[in-house]
Amino acid sequence: MSTSSKAGVQTYKNFINGKWVPAVSGATFPVYDPSTEEVIAQVASAAAPDVDQAVAAARAAFDSGPWPATTAQDRGKILHKLADKIRQNTARLADIESRNSGKPIIEAEYDIADVATCFEYYAGLANKVMGHVNPVPANALSFTLREPVGVAAQIIPWNYPLLMAAWKLAPAIAAGCTCILKPAEQTPLTAIEIANYFEEAGLPPGVVNILNGLGETTGAALVAHPGVDKVAFTGSAAVGKIIVKSAADTLKRVTLELGGKSPNIFFPDADWEAAVDGALFGVFINQGEVCSAGSRILVEKSIYSKFVEAMTEKTKRIKLGAPLERETKMGPLVSKEQYDRVSSYLEIGKKEAKVAIGGGRPKQFGKGYYLEPTIFYDVDNSARIAREEIFGPVASVIPFDGESEAIRIANDTPYGLAAAVWTRDIYKAFRVVKSLRAGIVWVNHMQPTYVEAPWGGYKQSGFGRELGPWGLEEYLETKQVFVNLDETPIAWY
Ligand code: NAI
Ligand code: MG
């Protein structure tokens, strides 16, 4: 695999307390273009001393200075300005995102639009946070104040880099928290880019710090740091478990979004073309690097063979290509590591099931981490390709016999992030919806996600919810204020 020398590529710093600073050690790590395998940037690699600086900055900004004095209206205005800056720079941000992550440019443009919408949503929500008056007996008054939880460490993945940053930063800012965002080491460039907008938007120094580095060092040090009050994480279940254990030492608040092995269920009465498209879109969009990928495709036996055939035929028409070409529907995987991981699952799958299409590297690309969209069929739900999150363009098609078997197979997984069901029968649709253990169930669609509605997992897909008012809630504490209205002495002795 080719690499280019350190010379000639730009080196980016960390953003701490409103300033760009190199790592204390001077270390950097390389960032790649996954379609060329070339190094496109070097980024400051934070270790414990940098984490200390970032936490100190976020702590100070939370405890004193202009930020605690801002009103909810002020914070809403800041979020609106960030949204405006992001929208004005859509083309530039989408270009960086597509180059760095390998996702098709049209997908990157949708993502950036969603990023701006997310900041706008929380801009509007900032001054709608209200406490309650609690119905205690008449000799007292009790009410609740909603207060920011404090310093939030936000650790995000590489599949939707700036969107995951937005889902974490926007509600935290609205709530009045301060943040240390650690982008994935594969895809730090868009988060670095938007830090350039912070001062103009009115964010005081230290409120949002962008700290880059590796998960095992920078991420782990943030999670363990006593100056951090909350960890918000999106990524692998394996790292989620490490985070919960480490955060236990300081009893931080933790929210986790850990992906899944989501079932996409097809009954014979579904709209045929929409169903076949929905199966492919559900699993192959964003190269299958999607936490809610519909990677287990459950099809009723009476249509099973025809459905696999139709999926196979349509898969041939999916355009693989360079991320920046507008016709491209699937680009390369994000990194060599992910390419190797998914490739190893392709070999496992060939032993566990039959291949309808794909199964390896597409021949037309000399370089880049491209993999063919792959459909395995006659997959047993106990197979590794049906149980483990692959996070690449790999579908496992599983036959079922009737509604109750579909539900049983769908729920037979440690995960519970998402599910979808395709049928024209509303009785059946809603019976299935109620039976599935997942944080979202789509009916006759798969993947649309709106900032107004909650997002998060059941079971080992994590806990806590992002987006909507639920997402803001995770950044708030509840303080009860009790006022005694009875002047009679207590006289308890
Ligand atoms: P990962 O879970 O290792 O990385 C996600 C984030 O966590 C990155 O920012 C990383 O630097 C950080 N991190 C890693 N180890 C850490 C630690 N010990 N303490 C604190 N932070 C840490 O994911 P990775 O290795 O990139 O991908 C592995 C698998 O994880 C994928 O194949 C996929 O199955 C799953 N994944 C799920 C995602 C989701 O959206 N739910 C997103 C990315 C990966
Ligand atoms: Mg990892």
Side-chain angles (χ1 to χ4, degrees):
M1 305 272 171
S2 64
T3 49
S4 61
S5 74
K6 196 164 168 172
V9 304
Q10 195 164 345
T11 300
Y12 293 91
K13 295 174 181 168
N14 287 318
F15 190 74
I16 300 177
N17 208 22
K19 294 196 173 60
W20 293 106
V21 292
V24 171
S25 70
T28 63
F29 62 88
V31 173
Y32 296 86
D33 174 339
S35 69
T36 62
E37 306 177 26
E38 277 164 17
V39 176
I40 53 170
Q42 290 282 339
V43 174
S45 188
D50 310 275
V51 171
D52 285 342
Q53 284 180 13
V55 174
R59 204 62 271 161
F62 184 76
D63 292 332
S64 58
W67 190 242
T70 56
T71 63
Q73 256 185 30
D74 295 335
R75 297 195 296 277
K77 284 179 189 160
I78 290 168
L79 288 164
H80 266 303
K81 284 186 190 152
L82 282 172
D84 290 346
K85 288 288 291 181
I86 286 160
R87 229 184 264 295
Q88 286 155 16
N89 288 285
T90 298
R92 177 175 169 76
L93 289 166
D95 181 87
I96 298 170
E97 196 82 309
S98 176
R99 241 177 246 282
N100 188 181
S101 69
K103 72 170 64 203
I105 184 71
I106 47 167
E107 294 298 328
E109 287 167 1
Y110 290 134
D111 287 4
I112 305 304
D114 285 349
V115 168
T117 305
C118 181
F119 279 101
E120 275 159 4
Y121 177 84
Y122 285 105
L125 200 58
N127 64 353
K128 279 117 197 131
V129 175
M130 284 176 266
H132 286 95
V133 176
N134 307 307
V136 297
N139 60 353
L141 172 65
S142 168
F143 58 93
T144 50
L145 299 177
R146 308 308 312 279
E147 298 182 338
V149 81
V151 173
Q154 304 175 312
I155 301 174
I156 58 169
W158 40 259
N159 54 338
Y160 290 89
L162 197 58
L163 191 59
M164 292 301 101
W167 285 21
K168 300 230 172 346
L169 292 176
I173 294 169
C177 289
T178 59
C179 307
I180 302 146
L181 179 84
K182 196 204 84 63
E185 52 268 43
Q186 297 83 355
T187 55
L189 300 183
T190 43
I192 291 172
E193 184 68 17
I194 66 159
N196 291 310
Y197 312 158
F198 291 170
E199 190 179 349
E200 195 185 320
L203 270 179
V207 173
V208 178
N209 305 278
I210 310 287
L211 197 64
N212 289 291
L214 309 183
E216 296 74 9
T217 48
T218 317
L222 278 169
V223 174
H225 204 290
V228 171
D229 300 298
K230 176 198 160 75
V231 177
F233 172 73
T234 300
S236 62
V239 172
K241 289 172 192 175
I242 294 171
I243 286 177
V244 170
K245 284 180 190 150
S246 167
D249 289 335
T250 43
L251 287 174
K252 291 179 176 67
R253 280 105 186 91
V254 177
T255 46
L256 303 172
E257 202 268 75
L258 306 177
K261 196 74 196 177
S262 299
N264 198 359
I265 306 169
F266 296 89
F267 289 104
D269 63 348
D271 179 309
W272 184 261
E273 294 302 324
V276 175
D277 290 347
L280 299 179
F281 183 83
V283 67
F284 294 146
I285 185 73
N286 210 50
Q287 302 74 241
E289 296 168 322
V290 180
C291 51
S292 53
S295 52
R296 285 189 301 145
I297 296 172
L298 277 50
V299 185
E300 191 156 293
K301 276 182 182 153
S302 60
I303 56 165
Y304 176 75
S305 306
K306 238 182 93 195
F307 200 84
V308 173
E309 258 169 53
M311 282 178 67
T312 305
E313 278 313 304
K314 280 195 167 172
T315 296
K316 292 177 188 159
R317 287 158 43 189
I318 299 173
K319 175 96 177 72
L320 267 68
L324 292 175
E325 283 169 15
R326 298 200 70 81
E327 316 77 62
T328 295
K329 292 293 191 300
M330 284 177 60
L333 299 192
V334 71
S335 65
K336 168 122 185 11
E337 188 189 354
Q338 196 61 15
Y339 174 89
D340 289 343
R341 183 183 289 132
V342 177
S343 298
S344 76
Y345 276 108
L346 294 177
E347 296 318 308
I348 292 166
K350 286 172 195 168
K351 295 194 192 96
E352 289 182 327
K354 296 180 187 139
V355 182
I357 188 167
R361 194 185 161 76
K363 286 163 199 63
Q364 67 268 38
F365 301 100
K367 58 188 174 176
Y369 306 124
Y370 293 90
L371 282 177
E372 290 172 320
T374 298
I375 300 173
F376 289 113
Y377 68 106
D378 287 3
V379 179
D380 190 278
N381 198 51
S382 64
R384 287 186 65 191
I385 56 166
R387 300 205 80 75
E388 297 172 22
E389 186 175 51
I390 298 176
F391 230 68
V394 185
S396 294
V397 189
I398 303 171
F400 70 82
D401 202 359
E403 186 180 326
S404 57
E405 193 182 43
I407 293 164
R408 184 186 61 70
I409 296 172
N411 283 333
D412 178 16
T413 168
Y415 290 110
L417 182 62
V421 55
W422 299 71
T423 174
R424 284 198 175 95
D425 177 344
I426 60 165
Y427 296 94
K428 188 189 281 183
F430 289 112
R431 278 196 307 267
V432 173
V433 164
K434 285 190 72 177
S435 305
L436 293 173
R437 302 276 299 155
I440 182 168
V441 184
W442 287 281
V443 178
N444 295 331
H445 211 322
M446 192 170 208
Q447 299 313 350
T449 305
Y450 291 97
V451 66
E452 296 85 356
W455 185 263
Y458 281 29
K459 295 159 73 179
Q460 290 191 31
S461 290
F463 39 78
R465 288 293 177 273
E466 297 191 281
L467 303 182
W470 302 268
L472 187 58
E473 200 57 38
E474 306 284 359
Y475 289 92
L476 294 169
E477 291 279 20
T478 301
K479 179 182 283 171
Q480 190 209 159
V481 182
F482 179 94
V483 184
N484 179 21
L485 303 177
D486 183 352
E487 292 173 49
T488 318
I490 300 173
W492 58 280
Y493 40 81

